Amino acid sequence: MIADDTQTCQPLAGGQSLMPMLNLRVAQPEVLVDLNRIAALSFIEIQNDVVHIGAMVRYTALMHSPLIDKHVPLLAMALPYIAHQAVRNRGTIGGSVALADPAAEMPAVLKALAATIVVVSAHGQREIPAEAFFLGIYETALDEGELVHSIKIPLATSGHRFGFYELARRHGDYAMAGVAVSAQSINPCTELSIVFFGVADQPLRAVDAQAVLEGCAISDNAALTAAQQSLPAELMLGDTGVSADTRLQLARVALKRALLSMAD
Amino acid sequence: MTGPLHRFDQPGTYIGRSVERADASRLVEGEGTYVDDLQLPRMTHAAFVRSQHAHAKIKHIDVDAARAHTGVVAVFTGADINPLVKPYVGILTHLQGLRSPPQLPMADQVVRCQGEPVVMIVAQSRAIAEDACELVQIEYEPLKALVSAEQALDKDAPTIHPELDNNTAWVREIDVGDASAAFSRADVTVVERTFLFGRHTGVTVEPRSVVVEYNRSDNTMVFHYSGQAPHMMQAILAKHLDFAEENVRVVTRDVGGSFGIKIHTYGDEIATAVAAKLLRRPVKFIADRLESFTSDIHARDHRIQGRIGVDSDGRIVALEIDDLTGIGPYSMYPRTSAIECNQILNLTGAPYQIDHYRARGTVVFQNKNMMCQYRAVGHPVAMAVCDSLLEEVAGEIDMDVVDIRRRNLIADDAYPVTSATGMKFADLSHQQSLERLVELMNYDQLRADQSDRRKKGCYRGIGLVSMVEVTNPSPMFYGVGGAPISAQDGATVRLDAAGALHVSCSITESGQGTHTILAQIAADVFGVDIARVKVSTGDTAHVPYGGGTWASRGAGIGGESVLLAADALKAQVLEVASSILQTTPDTLDIENGVVVNADGDDKISLDELGKIVYYRGNELPAGVNAELIATRHYRVTDYPFVFTNGAMAAHVEVDIETGFIKVLDFWVVEDCGRVINPKLVDEQIRGGVVQGIGGALYEECLYDEEGQYLNATMADYLVPMAGEMPDIHIAHIETPTCTSTLGAKGAGEAGTGGAPAAILNAVNDALRPLNASIFQMPMTPERVLNALKA
């Protein structure tokens, strides 16, 4: 059905974004394909040096998974910030990836962790790096007829450090600004990966900030200030609640607080 | 309190006890019956195509495709519906000069705000009706949208209504004493600020909902609605749809929140009634969340210039406000959209002794959704303006904010008092409430903690408010101005053959515990176990006539009517019992369902008495004609309103890097007279405070410059959520009102009325060392950051 291009078709995962969109008549597919009973898409397992997570794994399952706690701590840090328990009971990691909401936590976390998105179609399977997967607001590298199958995330190694911070008016809201940080080490910082969410049209890698901080101690104030200043003002989006200027200010604060939390 | 023990202070009484709500488990278990639960034979479902434009001419409407859509029963435009409705006008004669053009349920040639109903689709399901809505083609010619009140007021602005010479709906001025002279005195310190209050709305969990049935054979209508004022709706429907009033029955079952949203005349609901009549089939209309945001009445939206002057002792010598408010394209019917401004003018400065007061209110039409009465009408604005000015000027003369209140509050022993604006106050306890608050919040320790934290770069603030609340209104509120709104309420109390009490009352239950308190009063006054009291409300065919539940009037007015009726029934029952027992009524009493003698000995149970009266009347002496039913009505006569008072405080922390405000704690000392059910009163206050915090920090109906509503979803319009709310600590002072036996004043709106002022003051207190301040609500992070940059 998904391969059939004579009708508009929408896969239904946890439905925590799609159902409201249907209610609002923003999405009007002719066919809904319910993925909820495909047991083969609900697995969490270790394969060599990655954790492999099926697209239909729900947030609550991830939160209760010792594998995630141990091997993907950044994901574990982000999960409690996703909406509310009722939403997490239904919402899936694959649904969030496929939707590509730039304000959502999952795309930024996966990008920060250099995860790989495994997609399938009638023609077979391919793997797309998270870095190249999220292209814009609700826009991904998925081709017509392709479905997110699973996500592969490299295992954290000892010494690997992570930071996560988000600013939301109310717990569970989409962030006004948030950031996911991963580093191979922090004193000095090496292989720093900094990805913002809720600030631009896609999960935003802070390339300049990474470069500024690389090789510096994480608590180096001058480097931190320079990193804050290096955030790309021109990519910040404004909306009804927050102007682009405020967004930039909040992103800078989020960065500082995420990094400081890693130094503790 | 001194003196003999009052009848309600006796041990074992129900009044004053936190009796559990009898209907709570029914509602929690999902067994409530809301309007959308009604499924009637042949029922149809309505959806509306609403104006996308804030102001436009309708050039052409094409409904052919919609009409042809499978499952569509009928398609109506204003041309079909409006001629069957007598236009309604949102004015009250005692608001002199208020004007508003006649309104009709659906748009007619010109749309004047976004969301105005243009086409109504009636179909076999709501989904089909919505599908058909998408097939309607409407050609508009956009007109200049006057979105802000300032724009509408501009002398060069086009008029929204061609029949009016400008966009002003109402102006009121008050000038008591000589404010100018007082402000210009050499010893007077004057502070002036401009306050902005954003629009917000009620966001009821159950949206506005109606199911309308029409019976052609006897020309009767049943209007099932989720609302607060069944008799008012009955009168309105009868008058404007041309029915004899007795042929309209309004039924209200469980209501999922109302907050003042559901006491107005909405075009979509009236159109639904007309459609039911035209189709001779039941029609259901349930507003969806988008419709709720864009068409439920909005409130607040005031810009106020305020000025206060105090002498060197911190005594207020003069207060002045100038309020500008935009109300949408019409004044809402029948309560009008001028009441909020009127309340602000009446209530600003009300807790304090002020001799010189000048106020001006300007109410203008604009191309936004209509504004009207929402919980705590005008109070949050009036209290925030006065108490913010007071704390600002206290800062200016370096006086503590508690101290300056002590110097200005009307003394507890001064009542009755008439305020500068003519408000009559009685039985208030501002001083006692403030002292209790200071003790409850541990004020001195909080101040010490604040100063320690400031040294570490942590900005915490403490803000207070002393406030009044209008409750238990008399006919001087609406009835005097010509509105079909009853200020009195009635109750019938009846004893059945099994010795149980049946209470029916004209006030309504919206989830706040009305039924529980009425049962408490009846059980208490009459003398039965509360489990044997059944309460019904919300059906004009079966309850006495009355106003319903709004303006914090249910307990005070409806409750008193139940008290009077239960007292009267008791007298009847004792009369009957005395004839059966061959004694006199004054030697008897009723205790726990049994008639007892002066020694407390059981003489006859109510169960037995009921059976004699109803089944074995032959045992009654000749000439004894037992009724076992009594009806009484009550209205407030001695005062236009019964005011309550309170003192509140907020403790907040401002994150100066992000502009985020965290409310750490909140305290309320409330004097609502006699407390019937402490738990229910406390939860009313807590819920009210939360709604007040919503207005202060989160909630705002945002429009763009074209009059397009920007945040009509629950993701974008932020309501306060439990996770962000502080502990709300509550204490009571009980000064019963002298206007009734029960002594209860209202408690429904105080929290909402006072909380924004306390939060505003706390935030400005936190920002003071940074030389920053904010006078705009909601205080969003962005606005706080901008205040810090200024």
Side-chain angles (χ1 to χ4, degrees), chain B residues 617-756:
Chain B
N618 55 303
E619 293 177 17
L620 291 172
V624 172
N625 192 17
E627 292 288 345
L628 303 195
I629 184 166
T631 298
R632 290 292 182 274
H633 291 81
Y634 172 75
R635 71 176 198 280
V636 174
T637 50
D638 334 0
Y639 288 83
F641 307 99
V642 176
F643 281 91
T644 71
N645 70 280
M648 303 185 192
H651 190 210
V652 307
E653 183 172 317
V654 180
D655 180 336
I656 61 164
E657 286 186 320
T658 62
F660 278 45
I661 296 164
K662 183 174 170 56
V663 185
L664 302 164
D665 254 318
F666 201 95
W667 299 269
V668 179
V669 178
E670 165 71 356
D671 187 344
C672 61
R674 185 165 327 281
V675 173
I676 299 167
N677 184 318
K679 194 192 266 179
L680 289 177
V681 168
D682 286 0
E683 294 318 311
Q684 278 292 304
I685 290 170
R686 288 200 177 92
V689 166
V690 168
Q691 261 178 329
I693 291 174
L697 299 181
Y698 297 103
E699 300 184 51
E700 187 166 21
C701 303
L702 296 166
Y703 284 84
D704 71 8
E705 290 166 1
E706 306 295 318
Q708 297 284 321
Y709 195 108
L710 296 173
N711 57 338
T713 74
M714 294 299 284
D716 299 308
Y717 180 100
L718 306 185
V719 295
M721 304 274 277
E724 281 64 50
M725 290 302 105
D727 281 345
I728 299 168
H729 315 274
I730 299 170
H732 298 279
I733 306 288
E734 287 191 60
T735 314
T737 170
C738 62
T739 56
S740 70
T741 310
L742 185 60
K745 309 172 193 171
E749 301 170 276
T752 311

Side-chain angles (χ1 to χ4, degrees), chain A residues 23-25 28 84 165 167-171 173 176 240-243 245-247 249-250 253 256-257, chain B residues 127 130-131 134 655 657-658 660 697-698 702 710 713-714 717-719 721 724 779-782 785:
Chain A
N23 268 336
L24 289 166
R25 294 181 168 246
Q28 298 193 330
H84 304 275
Y165 195 85
L167 286 161
R169 297 291 311 279
R170 305 173 305 179
H171 183 87
D173 281 356
M176 294 166 84
T240 51
V242 198
S243 67
D245 280 355
T246 300
R247 189 84 73 192
Q249 159 77 5
L250 296 179
V253 174
K256 180 175 86 175
R257 293 182 183 176
Chain B
E130 287 186 18
D131 286 342
E134 296 188 351
D655 180 336
E657 286 186 320
T658 62
F660 278 45
L697 299 181
Y698 297 103
L702 296 166
L710 296 173
T713 74
M714 294 299 284
Y717 180 100
L718 306 185
V719 295
M721 304 274 277
E724 281 64 50
M779 293 173 269
T780 63
E782 181 152 277
L785 287 176

Side-chain angles (χ1 to χ4, degrees), chain A residues 69-81:
Chain A
D69 256 1
K70 179 158 182 236
H71 298 295
V72 202
L74 182 60
L75 182 57
M77 289 160 87
L79 286 165
Y81 290 90

Side-chain angles (χ1 to χ4, degrees), chain B residues 421-449:
Chain B
T421 55
M423 296 291 109
K424 287 167 77 178
F425 300 123
D427 314 314
L428 300 185
S429 59
H430 286 299
Q431 293 174 318
Q432 207 186 334
S433 298
L434 178 67
E435 296 313 322
R436 181 80 184 89
L437 179 72
V438 166
E439 175 190 305
L440 187 69
M441 68 192 285
N442 214 338
Y443 181 78
D444 293 337
Q445 195 187 318
L446 273 188
R447 283 285 177 213
D449 173 77

Side-chain angles (χ1 to χ4, degrees), chain B residues 1 6-7 68 168 174 203 223 243 250 272 337 480 597-598 644 753 772:
Chain B
M1 275 192 285
H6 190 277
R7 63 194 279 199
T168 303
I174 298 173
V203 197
F223 189 81
F243 283 91
V250 177
T272 303
S337 305
V480 68
N597 66 13
T644 71

